[in-house]
Amino acid sequence: DGGITQSPKYLFRKEGQNVTLSCEQNLNHDAMYWYRQDPGQGLRLIYYSQIVNDFQKGDIAEGYSVSREKKESFPLTVTSAQKNPTAFYLCASSAPLGGGAGETQYFGPGTRLLVL
Amino acid sequence: ILNVEQSPQSLHVQEGDSTNFTCSFPSSNFYALHWYRWETAKSPEALFVMTLNGDEKKKGRISATLNTKEGYSYLYIKGSQPEDSATYLCALVWGSQGNLIFGKGTKLSVKP
């Protein structure tokens, strides 16, 4: 089955610790995205990548880092510099841009990060 | 700062009721608008991508209209069913990269 997987479903972080959230897709999509959701807020873009070995900061990139070494994988690291990491994190992917319509994004099931 | 507004924030209806909600956005430099449905414990799923003023799209009992000149889109659900219960997100396509700016969503609850 084609789709996007995220792991783990729940993740606990201790103070000062870096943690990495996994996102894998087998849809052969070039573009991948990381969003954060907080209660009462819309999804906010953290980082995105349009192609392997390239990525761009979104609206709330501070305290996060990403890598894009493989087309199918886009892991997100929440660093100790992120002072309020408790949130729900969604990964998405889309086919290459074309047609001027903005490609539909396909979402994973999400990871909930909690701080101990 | 680009703002996408959705109203109402939440909605409770009885099974069989028809309902609608609104997505408002800046009308200048419009590119495209997406609607997604997000059921509890599932991933958001795409409903519609709308690009042209006057666009009207339909999927089963759900339809959407778009007015780019005045900056709004309506989502309609005819004869709501309990399985329609979900949060409905709209997202504006922004910039040449095609990134999405999401509204906060409208949470729909349909009582049997």
Side-chain angles (χ1 to χ4, degrees), chain A residues 102-107, chain B residues 6 33-38 44-49 75 87-91 100 102:
Chain A
E103 294 288 334
T104 294
Q105 293 189 11
Y106 296 83
F107 288 84
Chain B
Q6 289 189 250
L33 188 87
H34 293 210
W35 280 100
Y36 290 83
R37 175 169 60 198
W38 192 359
E45 290 183 333
L47 285 173
F48 305 114
V49 177
L75 190 80
T87 297
Y88 290 82
L89 303 173
C90 77
L100 298 178
F102 282 87

Side-chain angles (χ1 to χ4, degrees), chain B residues 4-55:
Chain B
V4 177
E5 299 281 350
Q6 289 189 250
S7 63
Q9 190 173 355
S10 64
L11 197 53
H12 298 263
V13 301
Q14 289 294 133
E15 182 175 355
D17 288 349
S18 293
T19 187
N20 66 85
F21 20 95
T22 306
C23 175
S24 303
F25 52 86
S27 56
S28 59
N29 299 317
F30 178 82
Y31 202 64
L33 188 87
H34 293 210
W35 280 100
Y36 290 83
R37 175 169 60 198
W38 192 359
E39 296 180 64
T40 301
K42 294 187 178 180
S43 308
E45 290 183 333
L47 285 173
F48 305 114
V49 177
M50 310 187 76
T51 56
L52 298 174
N53 186 43
D55 243 359

